[in-house]
Amino acid sequence: MNKILVANRGEIALRVMRSCREMGIKTVAIYSEADRNAPFVKYADEAVCVGPPPSNQSYLLGDKIIEICKVLNVDGIHPGYGFLSENADFAAKVKKSGITFIGPSPEAMNMMGDKLSAKAAVKKYKIPMVPGSEGGITSVEEGKKIALETGFPLLIKASAGGGGKGMRIVEKIEEFEEQMKLAVSEATSAFGDGSVFIERYVAGPRHIEIQILGDTHGNIVYLFERECSIQRRHQKVIEEAPSSVLTPEIRKAMGECAVNVGKACDYVGAGTVEFLLDENKNFYFLEMNTRLQVEHPVTEMITGMDLVKEQIKVARGEKLSFKQEDLKIHGHSLEVRVYAEDPSNNFLPDIGKLATYRRPQGLGVRVDDGFEEGMDIPIYYDPMIAKLVSFGKDREEAINRMLRAIDDYQITGVETTLSFCKFVLKHKAFTSGNFDTHFIKHHYSPEMLIEEKDDEAIVAAIFGAKLMSTLQSNNKQESQMEEPNKSKWKSNR
Ligand code: MV4
């Protein structure tokens, strides 16, 4: 493979191109008019504008992207995450054009993209699943019967959904008919597929996902777990590896299940198998994501593996160069997602210019981003500014290092979620490891950030007043003291 086109933008485009460069592979960027000056465009060996800012006129134009590949003699396409990354039709067209799609087969994508076909495919491997309907429910009568057998509360999920889309909770049988009708009509309009199924509602679960990697020779390994329970409206906020609750036994059992899920669809490349873990540490398969995930860096930090490099190697047909026994967990890693959103104003997007933008540095800190100081954050895409990743010998060191890195991050011009991440990292429920997917609902309200800011403002005011009086009482001797920090950037402290 000599030249790879990255069919994506922002931090992930840059992250993919870095690995290509290390491998001596040329890169092609595609970009929309909104991204003309973005770092990923400058970093690429070649760059082509594909259209106006809206995604459906630029980053989602599969056919146009394939045409560009032909003109520029591209031999591989890396789709990143989002956009075309889980579009089986696109993957099939790429393959048909004689270009390598760096990812799984269209068949694996289709099979795992549909939750019911995913469940059916993994059945022969005895993967634990939440009790509920065996397959899709086609009538209210059938649904009610299964609902009574399953027990309440239960969830009605859309087969074509995923990531929390198209889920409805049902507390009692009287609500079932109405909720099922709503679920079916929502799924039909959102996905063009009204298939739904039933699962018992697991209360207070942890969301744990396993990274897998497969080659074209039938080898699949697991690269341990990522704990992703800290999320807000199905948007992950903080991820970590390893999880503080898994014992080596559960880790091995989940890892082997994830490998079997991969086997069920002949998985090739990097994929993620999602599980719920209940209070009694029973785990259940939820769904599989057939792409490189946003939070993949924490796995890279604890395994020492470059997941993009491995994706490219298996796409070239190489065998995995290591076995399961060669993989070990080293240390602990955290990732926080830095969004241009205002956590004290219901996380409303706060797009604008990055007036100041200085990254934290130092031992055990990694920043994956796609912006430079002075750039505007476009309104057309996800408002994620950066992924801030810390690594330490253990969880405590990784947390303290992350807190230091958050304090060192200098961003002005837009509000960010950094203060919120700091709140979570300092919370007893988080530091103790005793939390679940309801962390934010249970422990967060916007006043907490405001109170914290006020406390700090008071402390700063008292300090300032003391300093003044000291200076005044020493006014005979010339003070060597520097002026208090007058820099304009808002501290995350
Ligand atoms: C569940 C569940 C409880 N019980 N399934 C949400 C995302 C999608 N992948 C599946 N989700 C859930 N499925 C059963 N049977 C709770 C969730 C859920 C959740 C899962 C992971 C992370 C955050 C979540 C937030 C709310 C609900």
Side-chain angles (χ1 to χ4, degrees), residues 234-344:
H234 304 295
Q235 174 84 264
K236 291 164 189 163
V237 176
I238 298 183
E239 301 104 340
E240 64 178 310
S243 163
S244 51
V245 283
L246 291 199
T247 60
E249 293 73 30
I250 301 175
R251 176 171 295 121
K252 185 165 186 283
M254 286 178 89
E256 288 171 358
C257 271
V259 166
N260 281 333
V261 171
K263 286 194 173 144
C265 61
D266 296 319
Y267 200 81
V268 174
T272 298
V273 183
E274 282 186 20
F275 294 94
L276 286 182
L277 187 76
D278 73 13
E279 291 127 320
N280 302 320
K281 299 201 183 177
N282 299 305
F283 63 86
Y284 309 96
F285 167 63
L286 274 188
E287 55 193 74
M288 176 169 189
N289 301 316
T290 56
R291 59 169 189 276
L292 182 73
Q293 301 222 162
V294 175
E295 60 272 23
H296 76 276
V298 295
T299 299
E300 296 187 319
M301 301 309 272
I302 63 150
T303 59
M305 198 78 73
D306 178 333
L307 284 172
V308 172
K309 223 174 249 183
E310 297 305 324
Q311 284 185 299
I312 295 170
K313 280 160 71 172
V314 298
R316 291 195 299 215
E318 291 174 35
K319 277 189 183 160
L320 291 178
S321 59
F322 48 86
K323 300 222 157 11
Q324 189 64 54
E325 311 85 80
D326 302 328
L327 293 166
K328 295 246 147 37
I329 296 176
H330 298 279
H332 202 99
S333 182
L334 295 170
E335 172 180 288
V336 306
R337 300 192 188 183
V338 186
Y339 280 98
E341 291 174 349
D342 185 354
S344 53

Side-chain angles (χ1 to χ4, degrees), residues 130 155 157 163-164 167 199-202 205 207 231 234 274 276 286-287 437:
V130 186
L155 286 173
K157 294 187 177 184
M167 277 184 5
E199 277 182 7
R200 196 177 66 211
Y201 178 70
V202 180
H207 174 132
Q231 53 80 45
H234 304 295
E274 282 186 20
L276 286 182
L286 274 188
E287 55 193 74
T437 52

Side-chain angles (χ1 to χ4, degrees), residues 8 13 30 70 145 156 174 205 267 286 294 320 331 347 373 400 416 420 425 427 429:
N8 215 301
I30 53 156
K70 288 180 184 161
K145 189 167 158 273
I156 304 176
E174 291 76 23
Y267 200 81
L286 274 188
V294 175
L320 291 178
F347 293 84
E373 190 167 273
N400 289 328
T416 78
F420 171 72
L425 292 166
H427 199 285

Side-chain angles (χ1 to χ4, degrees), residues 71-311:
V71 173
L72 296 181
N73 273 317
V74 166
D75 34 26
I77 295 182
H78 195 300
Y81 53 72
F83 297 123
L84 296 165
S85 63
E86 290 174 286
N87 185 321
D89 292 339
F90 175 67
K93 277 187 186 169
V94 170
K95 203 172 165 186
K96 235 179 113 200
S97 314
I99 303 161
T100 305
F101 180 81
I102 301 167
S105 69
E107 293 76 24
M109 274 188 200
N110 271 330
M111 195 181 280
M112 291 298 145
D114 182 89
K115 310 305 152 223
L116 280 168
S117 75
K119 284 188 167 213
V122 305
K123 193 161 263 169
K124 67 174 173 193
Y125 289 98
K126 301 199 167 51
I127 310 285
M129 283 186 266
V130 186
S133 57
E134 280 281 308
I137 42 172
T138 46
S139 69
V140 171
E141 300 322 304
E142 185 199 5
K144 276 187 176 171
K145 189 167 158 273
I146 295 167
L148 289 168
E149 286 162 16
T150 305
F152 295 89
L154 58 77
L155 286 173
I156 304 176
K157 294 187 177 184
S159 182
K165 275 177 262 156
M167 277 184 5
R168 295 211 149 247
I169 188 160
V170 185
E171 306 278 356
K172 48 184 189 289
I173 191 71
E174 291 76 23
E175 297 168 0
F176 186 85
E177 179 161 0
E178 186 192 352
Q179 292 299 326
M180 177 167 164
K181 282 179 177 162
L182 283 168
V184 172
S185 83
E186 273 174 15
T188 309
S189 60
F191 315 114
D193 172 4
S195 318
V196 295
F197 60 97
I198 291 174
E199 277 182 7
R200 196 177 66 211
Y201 178 70
V202 180
R206 296 174 79 112
H207 174 132
I208 293 183
E209 57 187 33
I210 306 280
Q211 177 70 53
I212 65 165
L213 194 57
D215 66 18
T216 52
H217 305 270
N219 304 300
I220 305 182
V221 296
Y222 63 90
L223 286 84
F224 313 108
E225 76 279 7
R226 292 185 288 261
E227 159 79 63
C228 304
S229 298
I230 308 287
Q231 53 80 45
R232 194 186 153 270
R233 300 198 191 149
H234 304 295
Q235 174 84 264
K236 291 164 189 163
V237 176
I238 298 183
E239 301 104 340
E240 64 178 310
S243 163
S244 51
V245 283
L246 291 199
T247 60
E249 293 73 30
I250 301 175
R251 176 171 295 121
K252 185 165 186 283
M254 286 178 89
E256 288 171 358
C257 271
V259 166
N260 281 333
V261 171
K263 286 194 173 144
C265 61
D266 296 319
Y267 200 81
V268 174
T272 298
V273 183
E274 282 186 20
F275 294 94
L276 286 182
L277 187 76
D278 73 13
E279 291 127 320
N280 302 320
K281 299 201 183 177
N282 299 305
F283 63 86
Y284 309 96
F285 167 63
L286 274 188
E287 55 193 74
M288 176 169 189
N289 301 316
T290 56
R291 59 169 189 276
L292 182 73
Q293 301 222 162
V294 175
E295 60 272 23
H296 76 276
V298 295
T299 299
E300 296 187 319
M301 301 309 272
I302 63 150
T303 59
M305 198 78 73
D306 178 333
L307 284 172
V308 172
K309 223 174 249 183
E310 297 305 324
Q311 284 185 299

Side-chain angles (χ1 to χ4, degrees), residues 29-42:
I30 53 156
Y31 62 95
S32 77
E33 286 160 15
D35 284 332
R36 210 168 272 288
N37 299 315
F40 80 92
V41 177
K42 296 181 188 138

